[in-house]
C-alpha cells in the first residue's frame, strides 16, 4: 500500500499507474512521511521495488483490458492484497465480475481499512477469503459464486513466492481447469535449474520480516 501510494506522491509524471485510491488508503502521518526528503521510500532499493510493484499491476491491467475486449467476463485477483483496481475501475470493466481472493486475515484487514477510508465497494466485486495452503480455490470460489465456465482473466501478482511449492502448483492446476479463453498473468521467484538456489536480497529481507519465500520456478 505504501509503495503504491509513494508512486503517486513522489515519482515523476507520467506515472506508470494512476492510482488515487492507494493514496486515499494511507493514514495522514504516513502520507506526510513519504513526502519528506530522505524518507525510507526515497532509497534506490525502495524505488526498484516500487517500480516492480506498479509495473506488474500496470501490465496485468493492460492485459485485462485486451482480454475484456476479447470477451473475458470475470477478473480473478489471487492474493489481491491492497490492489485497488476494483475501486478505481474504468467504465470498460463495469461489465466484469471481479473476485478478490486473499488470505482471510489479509482480506479482513483490507476491508476494515476500506471502510475506515469510506471507500465504496463496487457492486461487481465479490470477496473470497481463501487460505491457499488449507482450502482449494475450486471450493472457496464456488462458495463465492464464481462461475468456472465463464472466460476469466486471472492475476497472481507477488503471491506465489509466499506459498509452498505444492500450493503454488495447485493455483496453476486450478487455472488449467478454467474455460479455454481464460488467461493468467503471474509473477514468481525465478531460480534457474542449473543455478544454486541462493536467495535474492529481496527474498532474504522477506524472510527476516517473517514472510519467507517458499516457492520458486525455473524461468526456462
Ligand atoms: C505482497 S502481497 C501482493 C498483493 C497484490 N497482489 C499486489 O500485487 O500488490 C501478497 C499477498 O499474498 C497473500 N497470501 C500469502 N499467502 C497466502 C495464502 N496462504 N493464502 C492466500 N493468500 C496468501 C497475502 O495475503 C497478500 O495479500
Amino acid at each position: 500500500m505504501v509503495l503504491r501510494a509513494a508512486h503517486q506522491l513522489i515519482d515523476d509524471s507520467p506515472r506508470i499507474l494512476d492510482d488515487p485510491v492507494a493514496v486515499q488508503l494511507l493514514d495522514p502521518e504516513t502520507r506526510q512521511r513519504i513526502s519528506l526528503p530522505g524518507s525510507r521510500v526515497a532509497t534506490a532499493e525502495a524505488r526498484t521495488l516500487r517500480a516492480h510493484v506498479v509495473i506488474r499491476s500496470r501490465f496485468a491491467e493492460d492485459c485485462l483490458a485486451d482480454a475484456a475486449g476479447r470477451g473475458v467476463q470475470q477478473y480473478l485477483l489471487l492474493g489481491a492484497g491492497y490492489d485497488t483496481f476494483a475501486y478505481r475501475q474504468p467504465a470498460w470493466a463495469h461489465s466484469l465480475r471481479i473476485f478478490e481472493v486473499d488470505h482471510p486475515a489479509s482480506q479482513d484487514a483490507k476491508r476494515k481499512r476500506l471502510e475506515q477510508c469510506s471507500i465504496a465497494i463496487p457492486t461487481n466485486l465479490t470477496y473470497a477469503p481463501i487460505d491457499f495452503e488449507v482450502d482449494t480455490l475450486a471450493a472457496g470460489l464456488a462458495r463465492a459464486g464464481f462461475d468456472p465456465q465463464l472466460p476469466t482473466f486471472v492475476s497472481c501478482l507477488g503471491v506465489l513466492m509466499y506459498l509452498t511449492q505444492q500450493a503454488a502448483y495447485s493455483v496453476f492446476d486450478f487455472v488449467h481447469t478454467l474455460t479455454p479463453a481464460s488467461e493468467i498473468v503471474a509473477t514468481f521467484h525465478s531460480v534457474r535449474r542449473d543455478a544454486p538456489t541462493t536467495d535474492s536480497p529481496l527474498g532474504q529481507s522477506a524472510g527476516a520480516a517473517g514472510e519467507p519465500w517458499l516457492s520458486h520456478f525455473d524461468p526456462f
Side-chain angles (χ1 to χ4, degrees):
M1 175 163 56
V2 173
L3 293 174
R4 291 168 176 279
H7 180 57
Q8 309 304 305
L9 294 170
I10 62 171
D11 287 337
D12 292 339
S13 290
R15 292 188 193 93
I16 295 164
L17 189 73
D18 279 319
D19 189 351
V21 179
V23 180
Q24 263 179 281
L25 283 166
L26 277 191
D27 60 85
E29 295 77 42
T30 310
R31 198 180 305 182
Q32 204 182 14
R33 220 174 323 125
I34 283 176
S35 309
L36 290 174
S39 92
R40 268 181 27 199
V41 292
T43 64
E45 292 79 14
R47 282 166 45 173
T48 305
L49 182 57
R50 182 157 81 244
H52 169 76
V53 167
V54 293
I55 286 169
R56 73 188 183 200
S57 287
R58 170 67 189 268
F59 179 76
E61 291 177 22
D62 284 355
C63 292
L64 172 67
D66 289 347
R70 290 194 298 272
V72 149
Q73 295 173 56
Q74 296 181 124
Y75 181 25
L76 185 58
L77 294 99
L78 300 180
Y82 281 90
D83 189 289
T84 56
F85 177 80
Y87 316 93
R88 55 177 167 79
Q89 55 181 292
W92 57 258
H94 292 172
S95 58
L96 294 175
R97 307 175 77 209
I98 302 176
F99 293 84
E100 284 196 8
V101 178
D102 212 339
H103 190 283
S106 307
Q107 193 162 83
D108 200 42
K110 178 181 187 177
R111 295 185 71 170
K112 285 196 176 105
R113 188 70 199 140
L114 287 163
E115 198 180 333
Q116 283 166 352
C117 298
S118 305
I119 295 171
I121 310 302
T123 53
N124 61 340
L125 171 63
T126 303
Y127 295 103
I130 300 172
D131 181 344
F132 298 131
E133 302 291 344
V134 175
D135 208 353
T136 67
L137 271 169
L141 284 170
R143 286 195 297 274
F146 176 83
D147 185 346
Q149 301 304 320
L150 295 179
T152 299
F153 183 88
V154 184
S155 71
C156 188
L157 307 177
V159 179
L160 291 171
M161 62 282 276
Y162 296 108
L163 306 183
T164 56
Q165 201 82 27
Q166 193 185 357
Y169 278 123
S170 300
V171 168
F172 291 113
D173 286 344
F174 170 76
V175 172
H176 187 64
T177 66
L178 296 174
T179 198
S182 303
E183 58 191 276
I184 180 168
V185 168
T187 60
F188 56 91
H189 179 209
S190 130
V191 177
R192 283 178 51 154
R193 205 172 306 153
D194 55 359
T197 55
T198 48
D199 228 347
S200 67
L202 206 53
Q204 282 169 7
S205 54
E211 295 183 334
W213 287 3
L214 302 175
S215 74
H216 61 264
F217 294 89
D218 191 321
F220 303 106

